């Protein structure tokens, strides 16, 4: 199917799939599908939280000492970055829903940019840790802590797994938003059909929610 | 979805709707996807079955019979991993569920057809990883991959674990698709109290798939990272806890066994009222019990860990909670039997398999209660008693359900009828072979024969030899079934649209069904189990 | 959840006004500041709870407003919250194991012996000791030795060598005198399934000894040398205490992984975690 390139207002007519009774039906179904997908993400990521919480309960002194080695300022900065990016995402989706494609593209572009900021901050955090020898348990060589905190390396294993998987989801989200930018530029997103953009927005907000829990758990309360 | 803009001649049913291998490989049609699942599942059933036969040959004599112990460890690892992840979990939802669910809903397809196709390819990719791992040397950890051995062993653990990881996403997406389909695609008039029991079963299964499988995903991912980056979470040498791996693993794998059995129970619930010509007894109880099982499934995983050094508190809690799962299960068995009572029974193959299911699943289920009892479990754990228990429920349960469903819906899928005499002969081989294979294992286990051992004490020889001979009968039954089903799919007599005179929606459309399932979306006005015993019968 | 799939009514799609989006973002940033500030206030164990509550408030804002859950169908909210219920089940039930290892809820080898004996000169038989031993026997021994001590317990079928039949004179590896039975209980029999029961208190072990002795055809008596061989001074009133200290499972796992079977002596030396475990034990009382 060919699509006229029209960045102002999408004029592509969307045909809903044959097994739905209306576009509305299709939209509500897609939305519910997204929420069921959220359930799977909660359980997957949540299991990591469960492991973390249990080890923290078992070795509170070690985890307390370890968490002090994290940079609270950078973590807080990243939290701000993600919150603002969620706002720009929602503004972008709203613009697409109203047919204001130019604003939608701007907002989505800013969201991706903020995603890059997040990753750059993470890069600085990680490279500092690698440099200091604060790695996963088997490779941990940092020795600036007292001997009684023998489970400190485990904290860092959790830190890398949880923030690493989160960063992976940020990257996936940025790719999805890029794909949405392409579709908007192709004119495929209109006030009558904006399902993909809204659902990609949900994904991005979920990534934000996970960080909302990660930040205090790892950086503040260890 | 209308996917062509060049004029094309389409056949009148889904099989000849469009031609060529590419049209199958890129199909969005749930019926074709179901058949692709079936072909792949049965292929891996063969592979896993060959490993089973090899195991039984090795165990024909104590000491070495055909292979050394390390190779034997790989045999049971792959038998378990292939059967669990590539056969029993995907079989009924992927093959039968995909085919039948949209039609039973009165819909034209599942909610997300492209996701459905993706599911199939993820399953296939996972399977390929497993096969590659085998050729690369194989893992010898057992299908449960317990740490710390799975961290330290030199086998191809990462490859096979990654295969299971990918295949898990197939399971998740199928579950997601089914849940949303059942919520959103029911035909007008198809209220919850008119939903076929197969759909109640698939619904509960899908909820479990969506909640539990992600935890397996993260567990396997963590295991891979353990091996590569030494995160130490499950490694005692680095301060981690090996038993925590088992909690993570069984949080999924226990609901997984209900993911395996519940769809089979759905199949049985469809077959029994049709072949008893009686309304389903206890419809509401059966429907709710599916969710009862799904809920309790998540509360009991620690009963796989009674002797791991788990705390006494956990042992007590899990043993107590496990007792509850027998209740909704018993509700089902009693309701099925009550449906048969004073019905006019037709002993076609689907019914034979349904009755076989009830016999074998009851035995397997009751022995589960023995194992749930903490004080007895301490003696029976890691013996052949456990192996017999789960084969009774998984093979005697799920495979019976799969075979029964394959025969029941054979005319719907192909439009032809299988040969009833062939089916009965095969059934006899299967039921006798199955009992001969696995009942002696209960005895051997109760007498103390450990599982996953390449050798055994001479006093267990008789039970092992009986079991091996039984496996040959069982294999013969399966091979013969494959033979006549393929033969009759090609050359069998036309079956007519509804040879069983069933009332559920999928039978109210031609057999084989058209691409779009229904010319017009049906309007449902009746309960699907309103069978009157005096309806015209075909034997 | 109703079957509404052919509903053609156009439900207006709620589009979040920009102003609301911005206000929500400001609220989230303020709450972030609150989280950071609160983390510097020492509330002890409540820091964790407070932190999680604030995080949940922020998550609710994102889900409720950015993801429109507040105005969407109720079913989507139910679906989303269900996932947290099961996550809760996972963490709670796993914690019943991981956080309760080594705690004592039933009688067993982890009971600490206080060294005070209820029985005077417990190496000499008495009806009370035999009765006490019979009760312990029913808990500890019947699985292998059978309800009547005939060596026919349910686990016996798989054992080689076979558990001892206490009613006959043949087969006693260490002999049938009380001191020899006591020695067997303390050390076990290497090369067989008879484990060491050195973690049982002395009273229990002497009770078992005299009960098992009583099952035979005659009651044998120990000489002073027999008693000396197991460290008993017959002039004293009490047999003292020689209960082996047992170690918690998680430490056992660690030691198995680290140094294999080399240190199978069950002592606390060189293991700081074990010291802290012993201190925790001291502060509790146990029912006997």
């Amino acid at each position: 199917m060919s699509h006229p390139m029209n960045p102002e207002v999408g004029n592509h007519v969307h045909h809903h799939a044959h097994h739905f009774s209306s576009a509305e039906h299709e939209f509500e179904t897609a939305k519910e599908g997204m929420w069921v997908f959220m359930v799977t993400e909660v359980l997957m990521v949540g299991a990591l939280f469960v492991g973390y919480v249990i080890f923290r309960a078992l070795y509170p002194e070690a985890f307390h000492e370890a968490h002090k080695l994290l940079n609270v300022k950078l973590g807080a900065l990243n939290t701000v970055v993600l919150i603002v990016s969620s706002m720009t995402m929602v503004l972008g989706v709203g613009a697409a829903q109203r047919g204001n494609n130019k604003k939608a593209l701007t907002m989505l572009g800013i969201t991706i940019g903020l995603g890059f900021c997040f990753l750059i901050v993470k890069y600085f955090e990680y490279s500092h840790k690698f440099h200091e020898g604060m790695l996963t348990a088997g490779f941990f060589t940092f020795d600036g802590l007292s001997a009684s905190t023998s489970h400190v390396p485990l904290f860092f294993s959790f830190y890398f797994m949880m923030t690493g998987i989160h960063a992976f989801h940020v990257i996936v989200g940025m790719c999805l938003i890029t794909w949405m930018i392409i579709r908007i530029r192709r004119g495929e997103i209109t006030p009558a059909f904006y399902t993909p953009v809204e659902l990609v927005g949900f994904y991005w907000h979920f990534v934000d929610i996970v960080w909302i829990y990660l930040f205090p758990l790892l950086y503040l309360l260890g | 979805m209308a996917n062509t803009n060049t004029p094309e001649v389409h056949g009148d049913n889904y099989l000849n709707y469009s031609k060529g291998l590419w049209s199958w490989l890129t199909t969005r049609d749930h019926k074709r996807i179901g058949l692709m699942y079936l072909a792949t599942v049965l292929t891996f059933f063969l592979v896993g079955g060959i490993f089973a036969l090899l195991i039984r040959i090795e165990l024909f004599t104590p000491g070495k019979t055909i292979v050394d112990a390390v190779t034997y460890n790989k045999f049971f690892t792959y038998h378990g991993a292939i059967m669990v992840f590539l056969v029993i979990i995907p079989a009924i939802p992927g093959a039968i569920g995909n085919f039948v669910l949209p039609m039973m809903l009165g819909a034209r397809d599942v909610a997300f057809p492209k996701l459905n196709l993706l599911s199939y390819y993820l399953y296939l990719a996972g399977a390929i990883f497993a096969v590659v791992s085998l050729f690369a040397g194989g893992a010898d950890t057992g299908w449960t991959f317990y740490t710390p051995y799975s961290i330290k062993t030199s086998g191809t653990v990462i490859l096979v674990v990654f295969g299971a990881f990918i295949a898990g996403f197939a399971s998740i997406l199928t579950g997601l698709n089914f849940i949303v389909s059942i919520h959103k695609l029911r035909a007008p008039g198809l209220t919850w109290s008119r939903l076929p029991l197969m759909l109640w079963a698939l619904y509960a299964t899908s909820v479990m798939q969506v909640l539990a499988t992600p935890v397996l995903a993260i567990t396997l991912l963590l295991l891979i990272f353990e091996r590569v980056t030494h995160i130490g979470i499950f490694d005692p040498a680095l301060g981690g806890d090996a038993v925590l791996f088992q909690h993570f693993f069984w949080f999924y794998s226990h609901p997984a066994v209900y993911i395996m059995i519940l769809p089979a129970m759905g199949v049985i619930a469809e077959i029994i009222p049709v072949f008893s010509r009686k309304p389903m007894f206890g419809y509401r109880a059966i429907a709710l019990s599916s969710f009862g099982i799904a809920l309790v499934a998540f509360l009991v995983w620690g009963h796989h860990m009674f002797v791991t050094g788990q705390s006494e508190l956990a042992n007590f809690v899990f043993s107590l909670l496990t007792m509850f799962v027998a209740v909704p299960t018993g509700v089902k068995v009693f309701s099925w039997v009550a449906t048969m009572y004073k019905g006019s029974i037709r002993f076609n193959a689907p019914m034979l398999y349904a009755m076989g299911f009830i016999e074998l699943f009851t035995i397997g289920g009751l022995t589960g209660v023995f194992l749930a009892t903490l004080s007895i479990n301490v003696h029976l754990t890691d013996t052949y008693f456990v192996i017999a228990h789960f084969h009774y429920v998984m093979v005697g349960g799920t495979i019976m359900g799969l075979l029964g469903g394959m025969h029941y819906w054979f005319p719907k899928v192909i439009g032809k009828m299988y040969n009833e005499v062939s089916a009965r002969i095969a059934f006899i081989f299967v039921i006798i072979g199955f009992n001969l294979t696995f009942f002696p294992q209960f005895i051997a286990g109760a007498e103390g024969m450990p599982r996953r051992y390449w050798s055994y004490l001479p006093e267990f020889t008789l039970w092992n030899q009986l079991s091996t001979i039984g496996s040959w009968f069982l294999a013969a039954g399966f091979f013969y079934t494959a033979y006549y089903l393929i033969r009759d799919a090609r050359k069998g007599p036309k079956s007519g649209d509804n040879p069983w005179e069933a009332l559920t929606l999928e039978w109210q459309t031609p057999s084989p069904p058209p691409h779009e399932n229904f010319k017009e979306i049906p309007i449902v006005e009746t309960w699907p189990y309103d069978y009157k015993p005096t309806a015209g019968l075909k034997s | 959840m109703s079957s509404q799939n052919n509903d053609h009514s156009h439900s207006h799609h709620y589009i979040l006004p920009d102003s609301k989006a911005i206000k929500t973002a400001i609220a989230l940033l303020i709450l972030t500041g609150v989280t950071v500030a609160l983390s510097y206030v020492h509330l002890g164990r409540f820091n964790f709870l407070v932190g999680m509550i604030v995080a949940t408030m922020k998550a609710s804002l994102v889900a409720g407003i950015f993801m429109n859950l507040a105005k969407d169908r109720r079913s989507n909210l139910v679906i989303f919250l269900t996932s947290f219920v099961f996550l809760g089940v996972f963490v709670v039930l796993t914690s019943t194991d991981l956080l309760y290892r080594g705690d004592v809820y039933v009688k067993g080898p982890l009971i600490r012996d206080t060294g005070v004996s209820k029985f005077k000169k417990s190496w000499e038989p008495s009806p009370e000791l035999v009765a006490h031993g019979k009760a312990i026997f029913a808990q500890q021994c019947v699985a292998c030795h059978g309800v009547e001590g005939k060596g026919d317990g349910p686990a016996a079928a798989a054992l080689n060598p076979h558990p001892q039949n206490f009613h006959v004179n043949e087969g006693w590896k260490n002999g049938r005198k009380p001191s020899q039975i006591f020695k067997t209980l303390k050390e076990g029999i290497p090369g067989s399934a008879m484990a060491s029961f050195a973690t049982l208190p002395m009273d229990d072990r002497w009770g078992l000894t005299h009960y098992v002795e009583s099952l035979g055809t005659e009651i044998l008596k120990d000489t002073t040398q027999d008693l000396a061989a197991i460290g008993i001074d017959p002039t004293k009133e009490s047999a003292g205490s020689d209960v082996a200290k047992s170690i918690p499972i998680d430490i056992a796992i660690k030691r198995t992984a680290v140094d294999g079977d080399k240190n199978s002596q069950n002592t606390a030396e060189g293991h700081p975690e074990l010291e802290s475990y012993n201190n925790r034990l001291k502060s509790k009382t146990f029912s006997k």
Side-chain angles (χ1 to χ4, degrees):
Chain A
M1 288 190 252
S2 58
H3 310 284
M5 295 285 287
N6 188 340
E8 285 302 321
V9 177
N11 57 9
H12 166 74
V13 177
H14 171 73
H15 297 285
H16 63 82
H18 76 138
H19 56 289
F20 292 114
S21 57
S22 66
E24 178 68 20
H25 186 204
E26 186 184 54
F27 172 66
E28 287 296 321
T29 303
K31 187 141 55 95
E32 184 177 281
M34 195 61 192
W35 281 108
V36 177
F37 175 70
M38 290 290 135
V39 166
T40 69
E41 286 278 7
V42 167
L43 265 298
M44 195 169 95
V45 169
L48 277 176
F49 277 84
V50 167
Y52 175 82
V53 158
I54 287 184
F55 274 103
R56 184 175 173 276
L58 285 175
Y59 309 116
E61 311 87 18
F63 274 44
H64 185 75
E65 286 301 309
H67 105 272
K68 289 194 208 158
L69 297 171
L70 296 184
N71 189 325
V72 173
K73 290 199 183 62
L74 290 183
L77 173 62
N78 262 350
T79 310
V80 168
V81 164
L82 278 186
I83 288 175
V84 173
S85 78
S86 261
M87 182 191 76
T88 54
M89 185 76 216
V90 135
L91 292 175
V93 171
Q97 288 171 322
R98 294 185 199 100
N100 187 344
N101 278 9
K102 200 145 172 253
K103 181 174 172 192
L105 289 170
T106 312
M107 286 295 145
L108 292 189
I110 296 178
T111 309
I112 294 184
L114 289 170
F116 267 115
C117 288
F118 180 89
L119 292 174
I120 290 171
V121 171
K122 270 252 97 39
Y123 168 76
F124 281 118
E125 281 188 274
Y126 275 23
S127 51
H128 173 254
K129 304 260 172 336
F130 292 167
H131 185 250
E132 295 287 319
M134 299 174 206
L135 295 163
T136 56
F139 297 109
F140 193 84
T141 53
F142 181 74
D143 58 0
L145 292 170
S146 59
S148 69
T149 52
S150 62
H151 286 92
V152 162
L154 265 188
F155 174 88
F156 280 94
S157 290
F158 274 103
Y159 170 77
F160 282 112
M161 285 302 301
M162 293 167 88
T163 59
I165 291 182
H166 177 262
F168 172 76
H169 281 80
V170 169
I171 295 173
V172 168
M174 288 161 64
C175 292
L176 289 173
I177 299 175
T178 306
W179 172 231
M180 287 303 106
I181 289 179
I182 294 174
R183 290 195 76 173
I184 293 177
R185 298 200 70 208
R186 281 201 201 149
E188 289 173 27
I189 307 294
T190 67
F193 176 69
Y194 48 77
T195 314
V197 170
E198 176 149 5
L199 296 188
V200 167
F202 279 17
Y203 180 87
W204 190 255
H205 296 311
F206 182 73
V207 168
D208 189 16
I209 289 180
V210 174
W211 185 261
I212 282 175
Y213 280 99
L214 265 186
F215 169 61
L217 212 46
L218 290 174
Y219 289 78
L220 300 180
L221 299 172
Chain B
M1 174 132 169
N3 54 7
T4 57
N5 42 23
T6 54
E8 204 179 294
V9 177
H10 296 300
D12 62 340
N13 64 54
Y14 76 100
L15 287 167
N16 56 30
Y17 180 77
S18 49
K19 299 226 186 293
L21 183 63
W22 189 246
S23 76
W24 278 81
L25 294 179
T26 56
T27 184
R28 267 70 140 168
D29 183 346
H30 65 99
K31 302 180 285 299
R32 289 190 167 191
I33 294 177
L35 284 186
M36 296 199 302
Y37 262 107
L38 185 66
T40 316
V41 161
L42 292 178
T43 305
F44 282 99
F45 188 48
L46 174 65
V47 175
I50 289 175
F51 278 116
L53 289 173
L54 289 171
I55 290 173
R56 287 284 8 131
I57 292 175
E58 171 56 42
L59 290 178
F60 194 73
T61 69
K64 175 172 173 168
T65 312
I66 50 169
V67 292
D68 64 273
V70 174
T71 310
Y72 179 79
N73 290 357
K74 295 179 187 177
F75 282 178
F76 67 70
T77 301
Y78 280 89
H79 169 71
I82 288 176
M83 287 303 201
V84 167
F85 293 118
L86 302 182
V87 179
I88 312 236
I89 288 178
I92 297 179
I96 297 182
N98 261 321
F99 199 97
V100 153
L101 177 136
M103 291 198 287
M104 278 186 166
L105 287 174
R108 300 203 184 283
D109 210 314
V110 290
F112 307 114
K114 287 189 251 186
L115 216 55
N116 206 7
L117 185 66
L118 176 65
S119 276
Y120 172 71
Y121 281 117
L122 286 173
Y123 161 67
L124 188 63
I128 290 174
F129 270 100
V131 170
V132 167
S133 80
L134 183 56
F135 283 109
D140 61 343
T141 56
W143 78 275
T144 47
F145 308 118
Y146 281 175
T147 57
Y149 184 66
S150 56
I151 302 175
K152 317 264 185 218
T153 181
S154 59
T156 56
V157 172
I158 293 183
L159 278 173
V160 65
V161 160
F162 192 67
F165 175 75
I166 302 238
F169 284 101
S171 192
I172 290 175
L173 291 178
T174 299
L176 187 157
N177 230 330
F178 284 4
I179 290 174
V180 180
S181 301
I182 293 177
H183 283 177
K184 298 290 196 201
L185 298 181
R186 280 172 287 133
L190 186 54
T191 56
W192 290 104
S193 55
R194 292 182 184 151
L195 204 66
L197 289 168
M198 177 71 172
L199 295 187
W200 277 109
L202 285 175
Y203 186 16
T205 303
S206 301
V207 171
M208 286 196 282
Q209 282 174 298
V210 154
L211 286 170
T213 319
V215 176
L216 178 76
I218 200 72
T219 307
L220 297 179
L221 199 64
L222 285 174
L223 180 58
I224 294 176
F225 275 99
E226 273 281 11
R227 282 181 72 96
V228 177
T229 63
H230 303 300
I231 50 177
I233 296 176
F234 302 131
D235 189 349
L238 293 173
D241 191 309
V243 176
L244 185 66
F245 175 86
Q246 295 189 32
H247 281 291
F248 272 61
F249 181 83
W250 287 111
F251 182 81
Y252 162 75
S253 297
H254 189 79
V257 314
Y258 296 110
I259 291 172
M260 295 179 209
I261 197 66
L262 214 39
M265 290 174 162
V267 172
I268 303 308
E270 289 303 319
I271 291 177
I272 288 193
V274 173
F275 289 86
S276 310
R277 299 310 307 172
K278 256 191 79 192
M280 192 66 172
F281 181 93
Y283 166 86
R284 183 163 254 231
I286 299 183
L288 290 177
S289 70
S290 294
F291 273 90
I293 291 177
L295 174 64
V296 179
F298 282 92
L299 305 179
V300 301
W301 75 84
H303 65 228
H304 298 270
M305 300 161 58
F306 283 152
V307 296
T308 56
Q310 209 175 213
S311 75
E312 282 140 4
L313 176 62
N315 275 352
F316 164 70
V317 165
F318 281 117
S319 178
L320 179 63
L321 288 171
T322 306
M323 295 299 167
F324 287 110
V325 78
V327 173
T329 314
V331 161
K332 284 185 186 287
V333 175
F334 285 126
S335 298
W336 298 328
V337 173
T339 304
M340 290 168 64
Y341 178 66
K342 289 202 176 165
S344 59
I345 314 268
R346 295 181 288 176
F347 289 97
N348 301 79
M351 190 57 168
L352 290 177
Y353 281 109
M355 286 162 54
F357 176 101
I358 295 180
E359 180 229 327
L360 299 177
F361 178 76
T362 303
I363 294 176
L366 285 177
T367 52
V369 180
F370 303 167
L371 289 167
T373 312
L374 185 53
S375 48
I376 300 191
N377 184 286
V378 170
H379 300 285
L380 293 176
T381 215
D382 282 338
T383 68
Y384 262 79
F385 194 91
V386 178
I387 295 199
H389 157 72
F390 65 68
H391 281 92
Y392 263 82
V393 286
M394 289 209 275
V395 182
T398 306
I399 298 294
M400 293 283 135
L402 178 66
L403 288 172
M406 280 168 67
H407 286 81
Y408 179 56
W409 279 295
F410 186 91
K412 174 94 279 175
V413 172
I414 313 276
K416 302 193 179 123
M417 190 51 95
Y418 62 86
N419 182 281
E420 198 60 61
V421 174
S422 300
R424 286 172 181 175
I425 293 172
F427 175 77
I428 291 175
F429 270 86
V430 167
I431 200 86
I432 291 181
F434 176 86
N435 280 299
L436 187 57
T437 309
F438 291 107
F439 202 84
Q441 294 187 6
F442 275 129
I443 304 176
E447 292 189 347
M449 178 180 169
R451 64 183 285 199
R452 292 181 172 170
Y453 274 37
W454 163 78
S455 174
Y456 49 82
L457 293 173
E459 62 229 48
F460 300 121
T461 309
L462 171 66
W463 308 124
N464 275 287
Q465 294 186 331
L466 284 175
S467 179
T468 301
I469 293 171
S471 73
W472 298 334
F473 275 92
L474 187 57
F478 287 145
F479 278 119
Y480 184 52
T481 304
Y483 162 73
Y484 74 75
L485 282 180
I486 294 176
R487 174 195 72 196
D488 296 339
R490 298 167 79 215
K491 303 203 188 123
K494 277 209 184 341
S495 61
D497 288 344
N498 190 354
W500 312 123
E501 295 168 300
L503 295 175
T504 39
L505 278 179
E506 82 275 22
W507 292 105
Q508 316 313 324
T509 188
S511 301
H515 172 74
E516 300 264 292
N517 293 347
F518 299 95
K519 272 205 158 45
E520 281 170 23
I521 299 295
I523 298 181
V524 177
E525 281 156 1
T526 54
W527 189 50
Y529 300 110
D530 233 343
Y531 292 103
K532 309 273 187 301
T534 53
L537 297 176
K538 290 191 206 146
S539 61
Chain C
M1 283 175 272
S2 52
S3 93
Q4 60 341 25
N5 31 11
N6 283 341
D7 181 11
H8 288 282
S9 71
H10 178 69
S11 74
H12 54 272
H13 286 189
Y14 178 74
I15 300 181
L16 187 68
D18 281 6
S19 55
K20 202 148 185 219
I22 296 173
K23 284 189 193 146
T24 308
I26 292 176
L28 286 167
L29 292 171
I30 292 176
L31 284 173
T32 305
V34 166
T35 313
V36 175
L38 279 177
S39 71
Y40 289 106
V41 178
H42 286 292
L43 300 165
R45 293 170 58 201
F46 287 101
N47 270 112
F48 183 79
L49 191 61
V50 164
M52 287 299 106
I53 289 177
V54 177
T56 305
M57 285 164 64
K58 291 164 73 178
S60 305
L61 281 175
V62 175
I65 302 191
F66 285 168
M67 296 168 87
N68 204 26
L69 257 188
K71 292 200 184 324
D72 201 354
R73 294 177 188 282
R74 183 82 86 65
S75 53
N76 287 330
L77 177 65
V78 169
I79 288 173
F80 188 54
L81 290 181
T82 303
S83 58
F84 292 99
V85 169
F86 283 89
L87 205 56
V89 165
F90 186 28
V91 72
V92 165
L93 287 180
T94 305
S95 301
T96 62
D97 173 24
L98 272 285
L99 302 184
Y100 286 88
R101 298 259 180 84
D103 284 16
V104 175
Y105 290 87
V106 296
K107 284 190 183 183
L110 287 178
I111 294 177
R112 288 199 85 216
D113 186 48
T114 56
V116 175
S117 172
K118 277 181 6 199
F119 300 92
K120 300 255 186 293
K121 293 193 190 286
S122 47
W123 54 90
E124 286 167 13
S126 69
E128 296 82 18
L129 262 174
V130 169
H132 180 69
K134 184 171 179 187
I136 305 290
F137 188 90
Q139 290 171 355
Q140 302 283 350
C141 316
V142 296
C144 294
H145 288 283
V147 173
E148 293 170 27
K150 291 194 176 145
D152 59 351
L159 295 177
N160 187 9
H162 211 71
Q164 181 64 39
N165 178 345
F166 298 133
H167 296 262
V168 305
N169 287 334
E170 298 80 38
W172 298 77
K173 204 106 200 289
N174 291 334
R176 248 200 87 227
K177 288 187 178 180
S179 62
Q180 293 165 329
I181 296 178
F182 186 85
K183 174 180 146 87
T184 307
L185 279 169
K186 177 167 173 170
E187 297 173 2
I189 297 180
S192 79
M194 177 60 190
S196 155
F197 283 83
T199 48
L200 289 179
M202 293 285 264
D203 277 352
D204 289 0
R205 274 186 275 149
W206 278 115
L208 282 172
T209 301
H210 295 300
Y211 173 68
V212 164
E213 186 74 45
S214 72
L215 293 176
T217 45
E218 54 169 327
I219 310 285
L220 301 175
K221 279 203 173 325
D222 286 315
T223 64
T224 327
Q225 289 96 321
D226 291 328
L227 289 174
I230 57 168
I232 303 280
D233 179 354
T235 61
K236 296 232 162 54
E237 284 292 299
S238 152
S241 167
D242 72 345
V243 171
K245 292 190 177 50
S246 56
I247 63 175
I249 290 295
D250 44 357
I251 296 182
I253 291 175
K254 179 173 192 262
R255 288 175 57 189
T256 310
V258 172
D259 56 18
D261 214 20
K262 280 199 309 244
N263 297 329
S264 55
Q265 304 266 323
N266 290 354
T267 68
E269 269 181 75
H271 292 276
E273 310 97 290
L274 189 51
E275 291 295 343
S276 82
Y277 168 73
N278 283 340
N279 292 335
R280 271 199 300 135
L281 266 187
K282 280 193 191 93
S283 62
K284 292 190 181 161
T285 55
F286 299 98
S287 62
K288 274 204 72 158

